[in-house]
Amino acid sequence: MASKNYYEVLGVSKDASLNEIKKAYRKLVRKYHPDISTEANADEKTSEINVAYETLKDTEKRAEYDAMLENPFAAEQQNQHADFDPRRYGYESHDFSGSHFGDGQPFGSGDFRFDDIFSAFGSAGRRGHSTSRFSEPIKGEDQHAELSIDIRAAYHGSERSLTLDMPTLTADGQMSYVRKTLHVKIPQGIIEGQQIRLRAQGLPGFNGGDNGDLYLNIRFHQSERLYVDQRKDVYQRIDVMAWTAVLGGKIEVDTIAGKFSINIPANSRNGQSLRLKGKGIPHKDSGDLYLLLNIVLPNADSEADKAAWQQLADHYAQR
């Protein structure tokens, strides 16, 4: 018998359910499959995993295997019989050799950034698609990337097109890259950290399994003049002339949420904020829009300008 029994190979308890055994098997296959694994003993580990699963998923084989674990001496005697077939317990050779393919790499550009997307298809991935035989289809891994968008897209919705070199399986089972253009619809009201799911645009599955999905994690382009806080509250800096800040009055402001007539309180200070309730990102629970006052001083370009400023300076000097 091997140093590890089949339950230990799959990392499950002896009373594990069939569903638990399947979940453990799929997880290990993804980790050690020679097409994507960087482990030196990937072929050996995958074969060991496969043998264990072939036995434990079958009720009759599992019962016989459990009996063998309980009484190993009886199992040795059975092994001496001419009609003993090791394949009955899942002992079967597997060929994990594969062909190589080109060095094309997936890429990202502009405000599209890869996190772990297609990372499995680096140097290990280029070993090619194996001819190993697993007992059931395995879904491809879901992948994740980051997509940066303008905050205005959250107010009005938008569409983006991303052109990527993506891994795929050819008809003869080899791994290759195919250039794809993905059209992404950005819904109105999306907030930073929310994900957009692109179905079946992740890594290819094994043995006819479905492709994984691609998840785009949304990030906003932000600046000192326009940024988001608390996910839905928006802060926009607006310019206000000095005399308006001192005297107060109404001004027309073009904000990210539209044009508004804003009342500037007298004696306003630089950096002071004015709140427009419910005018933040139009989510199901909309945030607020905060207008940050940026007091602007005009240049003194002419003698008349200088005289006006001097008069102002003399006035306050006498106070």
Side-chain angles (χ1 to χ4, degrees):
M1 290 180 61
S3 57
K4 285 187 176 182
N5 65 47
Y6 291 166
Y7 294 100
E8 292 170 336
V9 168
L10 296 182
V12 298
S13 64
K14 288 186 179 180
D15 59 353
S17 66
L18 180 58
N19 187 52
E20 290 173 325
I21 290 171
K22 285 184 177 181
K23 285 177 65 176
Y25 167 73
R26 290 168 182 164
K27 182 178 179 180
L28 290 170
V29 165
R30 292 190 182 103
K31 179 179 180 180
Y32 289 107
H33 196 289
D35 282 355
I36 60 177
S37 178
T38 57
E39 302 287 338
N41 63 339
D43 290 359
E44 179 182 344
K45 288 290 295 184
T46 307
S47 181
E48 183 181 38
I49 293 163
N50 214 42
V51 167
Y53 179 65
E54 288 291 334
T55 300
L56 299 185
K57 74 168 187 175
D58 184 279
T59 304
E60 183 180 348
K61 290 181 183 179
R62 183 177 179 180
E64 293 181 7
Y65 181 72
D66 287 344
M68 183 179 67
L69 288 179
E70 291 294 327
N71 191 352
F73 297 104
E76 288 180 7
Q77 294 174 0
Q78 183 182 11
N79 193 21
Q80 296 173 0
H81 294 185
D83 60 352
F84 178 73
D85 185 357
R87 289 174 297 178
R88 186 170 176 78
Y89 291 96
Y91 292 97
E92 187 172 343
S93 62
H94 297 269
D95 178 12
F96 294 103
S97 61
S99 303
H100 295 271
F101 58 88
D103 290 334
Q105 288 290 332
F107 63 90
S109 61
D111 53 6
F112 182 72
R113 184 174 69 80
F114 294 106
D115 290 338
D116 65 335
I117 183 172
F118 310 135
S119 59
F121 288 86
S123 58
R126 291 194 292 271
R127 294 168 60 181
H129 179 61
S130 84
T131 57
S132 61
R133 290 176 293 163
F134 292 98
S135 60
E136 59 184 61
I138 301 295
K139 182 183 177 182
E141 288 282 0
D142 293 337
Q143 294 296 295
H144 299 266
E146 186 174 285
L147 179 63
S148 296
I149 64 173
D150 193 279
I151 297 173
R152 294 181 186 277
Y155 274 84
H156 310 292
S158 183
E159 292 187 4
R160 296 289 301 277
S161 293
L162 307 174
T163 301
L164 312 171
D165 283 344
M166 303 178 70
T168 187
L169 292 179
T170 62
D172 59 355
Q174 300 303 306
M175 196 66 67
S176 180
Y177 285 99
V178 173
R179 180 156 293 190
K180 282 187 177 182
T181 298
L182 304 179
H183 299 285
V184 182
K185 184 174 182 180
I186 300 168
Q188 181 185 37
I190 197 167
I191 58 178
E192 190 168 65
Q194 198 168 341
Q195 292 184 329
I196 296 176
R197 177 189 180 193
L198 300 182
R199 191 183 298 274
Q201 298 302 328
L203 294 185
F206 298 112
N207 305 322
D210 294 336
N211 287 5
D213 299 325
L214 172 58
Y215 290 87
L216 302 180
N217 192 44
I218 295 299
R219 289 287 178 266
F220 288 138
H221 289 305
Q222 306 198 57
S223 67
E224 184 181 353
R225 293 190 67 88
L226 183 63
Y227 60 91
V228 177
D229 187 40
Q230 301 299 321
R231 302 188 78 189
K232 292 175 289 186
D233 290 338
V234 179
Y235 289 77
Q236 181 175 350
R237 199 172 298 277
I238 62 171
D239 294 334
V240 177
M241 300 308 295
W243 48 84
T244 304
V246 173
L247 301 175
K250 285 192 174 183
I251 62 172
E252 294 292 321
V253 180
D254 189 6
T255 76
I256 192 170
K259 289 186 177 181
F260 295 96
S261 179
I262 304 297
N263 184 49
I264 306 297
N267 296 315
S268 292
R269 294 291 180 259
N270 195 59
Q272 184 175 332
S273 66
L274 303 177
R275 177 190 178 200
L276 300 184
K277 186 176 180 180
K279 298 301 182 182
I281 292 178
H283 199 65
K284 59 184 178 181
D285 180 20
S286 297
D288 300 326
L289 173 60
Y290 293 87
L291 302 180
L292 304 176
L293 304 186
N294 181 50
I295 298 176
V296 179
L297 299 176
N299 294 327
D301 296 326
S302 66
E303 291 301 320
D305 292 339
K306 294 177 182 178
W309 280 109
Q310 186 61 54
Q311 184 180 4
L312 184 63
D314 294 341
H315 170 77
Y316 280 96
Q318 296 172 10
R319 294 181 60 181

